[in-house]
Amino acid sequence: MLSVSERLEKLPPYLFAEIDRLKKKLLTQGHDVISLGVGDPDEATFPHIIGACQQAVKNSRYHQYPLGQGSILFRKAIASYYEKYNNVSLDPEEEICVLIGSKEGIAHLPLSVLNPGDYSLVPEPGYPVYHIGTMLAGGNTFFLPLKEENSFLPDISSVPAAVLEKTKILWLNYPHNPTSVLAPAEYLQEVINFCRKRNILIAYDAAYHEIYYEKRPVSFLSLPGAREVGVEFHSLSKTYNMTGWRIGWVCGNRQIVKAVARLKENIDSGTFEAIQVAGTVALTGSQSCVQKMRSIYQKRRDLFTSCVRNIGWSARIPEGTFYYWVRVPSGDSMSAARQLLEKAHVVATPGIGFGPSGEGYIRFSLTLPEERLLQAIQRMENLWKKK
């Protein structure tokens, strides 16, 4: 019998298999299931971006391999965007590499940096790819629990000295998926100083940087010393409703950017250049469309906040992203998600799927039109409204 690699066998199981099975069963039975599970924007990509891609597709020069670190036009657009909105000066030639979506780069970074036995520090609950990329590269993961009493910020001072000696990467992600909090500049500066002393790379996932509400998130690369020890992953997916387009970038420390680019040269042939043209238009054009999306998500957040209060749940009002992270009274996230699906036909994500510290929470994605969101809210209030 043919076999697969040991590293593939070590991949964690799909923890939501039961929820997915129940959802499919209910759909087969003809029930109306409302999904607040997947973080995929429901609004279409903005028309001016689509138009730019349509025109670019007709240009035969973009039909060939888009080799290298990405088109210089798109990398200059990224640099201009960072300069204008984040007060960060980037060299488009040396400090930016275009990715086939930020997920691809996040998964490949450990292969570019880690040797077998090296450690990544991975906050949890969090995006599973930080750990998976580390594992596939032959590295070890040291998990950093994110606790509500610590504002969901990792305590890196708690890492044992023996682990720190072998640590090569610290992963950070703010605005944070799934807890929706922002990281204060003071905290990030402390982390930068900590990692500079120990030659630890900070891999900063900023995929939700433009999805915020009352306060704009601090730009990681704008902080003193950040570029000496850090790179930032960014994406057009959430900002411009372009999840299916698969385009993002890594920027910052030129040594690490070069390493990722070198790895990619041997793995893929780059992002379709017509999509890079569309990305250029997205970054250099008016950002009023992004402000409109923030307003839509904020209205949905506020509607859901009323639901949370009516039911009597405990939750922090989201500062960013389009997620809502809710503590369930039972303390059993899988049981709560199952009950919600079976009795209200609403899908949510059990917190345990994001790591052990996610137990006791469920995550709702507010990526549904307001009418459907209100239907989901009504169902939840009917099921769980406090007496």
Side-chain angles (χ1 to χ4, degrees):
M1 180 181 292
L2 300 177
S3 61
V4 299
S5 70
E6 291 181 3
R7 64 173 60 89
L8 193 63
E9 292 285 2
K10 291 178 181 178
L11 287 176
Y14 180 52
L15 293 175
F16 312 129
E18 182 180 3
I19 297 295
D20 191 55
R21 179 184 62 80
L22 288 172
K23 174 186 173 183
K24 290 177 180 176
K25 180 181 177 181
L26 289 168
L27 289 171
T28 301
Q29 293 173 347
H31 293 289
D32 177 32
V33 177
I34 302 176
S35 180
L36 301 177
V38 179
D40 196 352
D42 57 295
E43 297 283 328
T45 304
F46 304 118
H48 66 291
I49 299 173
I50 295 173
C53 188
Q54 288 173 329
Q55 289 301 313
V57 165
K58 299 175 185 178
N59 190 334
S60 61
R61 64 176 286 199
Y62 299 140
H63 297 177
Q64 297 176 311
Y65 286 126
L67 302 173
Q69 291 184 210
S71 78
I72 190 61
L73 184 69
F74 184 45
R75 282 183 284 150
K76 285 182 176 179
I78 294 168
S80 296
Y81 183 90
Y82 268 74
E83 183 77 49
K84 183 174 182 179
Y85 296 104
N86 296 329
N87 195 30
V88 172
S89 178
L90 291 169
D91 179 352
E93 296 279 1
E94 302 287 338
E95 296 179 328
I96 301 171
C97 177
V98 179
L99 304 170
I100 310 174
S102 59
K103 180 179 182 179
E104 173 258 305
I106 288 169
H108 285 149
L109 177 70
L111 286 170
S112 309
V113 175
L114 298 181
N115 292 314
D118 288 340
Y119 274 87
S120 280
L121 305 181
V122 176
E124 60 84 16
Y127 190 40
V129 183
Y130 310 142
H131 165 60
I132 290 170
T134 297
M135 184 181 62
L136 291 176
N140 298 319
T141 298
F142 185 87
F143 289 105
L144 297 170
L146 301 181
K147 301 295 185 182
E148 192 165 356
E149 56 266 29
N150 293 330
S151 300
F152 298 114
L153 300 170
D155 179 11
I156 56 176
S157 66
S158 66
V159 181
V163 172
L164 279 179
E165 288 179 5
K166 298 181 180 180
T167 295
K168 292 288 187 67
I169 305 173
L170 165 65
W171 295 93
L172 292 175
N173 160 226
Y174 294 97
H176 184 248
N177 172 22
T179 68
S180 301
V181 302
L182 307 186
E186 298 78 14
Y187 171 82
L188 293 176
Q189 191 63 65
E190 289 177 7
V191 172
I192 290 169
N193 296 341
F194 181 94
C195 291
R196 287 174 71 184
K197 292 177 181 177
R198 295 164 179 81
N199 292 318
I200 296 172
L201 168 67
I202 300 173
Y204 199 88
D205 180 0
Y208 297 91
H209 189 266
E210 298 304 326
I211 310 298
Y212 60 88
Y213 304 113
E214 286 76 17
K215 182 180 178 181
R216 181 176 174 84
V218 62
S219 170
F220 168 70
L221 287 178
S222 71
L223 297 171
R227 204 169 338 189
E228 293 179 38
V229 293
V231 291
E232 182 172 296
F233 291 92
H234 215 315
S235 166
L236 302 184
S237 291
K238 308 304 191 297
T239 309
Y240 302 100
N241 304 330
M242 295 174 68
T243 50
W245 295 61
R246 309 317 306 138
I247 182 167
W249 62 86
V250 59
C251 59
N253 184 282
R254 63 183 59 205
Q255 178 186 1
I256 302 302
V257 168
K258 183 178 180 180
V260 173
R262 183 180 179 188
L263 178 71
K264 283 174 59 60
E265 286 175 356
N266 291 279
I267 292 177
D268 65 65
S269 299
T271 299
F272 182 31
E273 203 159 350
I275 294 178
Q276 295 188 58
V277 171
T280 300
V281 169
L283 292 174
T284 57
S286 169
Q287 301 302 298
S288 60
C289 54
V290 182
Q291 177 58 52
K292 179 181 177 182
M293 283 309 307
R294 280 197 292 268
S295 298
I296 290 173
Y297 289 136
Q298 183 162 357
K299 186 175 182 181
R300 294 176 185 178
R301 181 202 68 169
D302 294 344
L303 286 171
F304 206 83
T305 297
S306 297
C307 170
V308 167
R309 289 171 176 167
N310 287 338
I311 293 173
W313 279 333
S314 172
R316 295 169 61 114
I317 297 176
E319 300 172 288
T321 79
F322 40 58
Y323 301 118
Y324 221 114
W325 187 241
V326 177
R327 183 187 291 275
V328 292
S330 68
D332 185 336
S333 63
M334 187 63 77
S335 175
R338 187 189 303 113
Q339 182 185 25
L340 183 61
L341 180 55
E342 290 178 335
K343 296 186 177 181
H345 302 159
V346 174
V347 178
T349 307
I352 188 63
F354 297 100
S357 297
E359 182 58 295
Y361 296 85
I362 50 179
R363 191 196 75 176
F364 295 91
S365 177
L366 308 183
T367 51
L368 277 181
E370 186 176 321
E371 179 183 358
R372 290 292 277 169
L373 182 62
L374 286 169
Q375 290 175 355
I377 288 171
Q378 185 63 60
R379 294 182 190 183
M380 288 187 285
E381 289 183 348
N382 291 339
L383 176 64
W384 279 328
K385 191 170 183 177
K386 63 184 177 181
K387 307 299 181 183

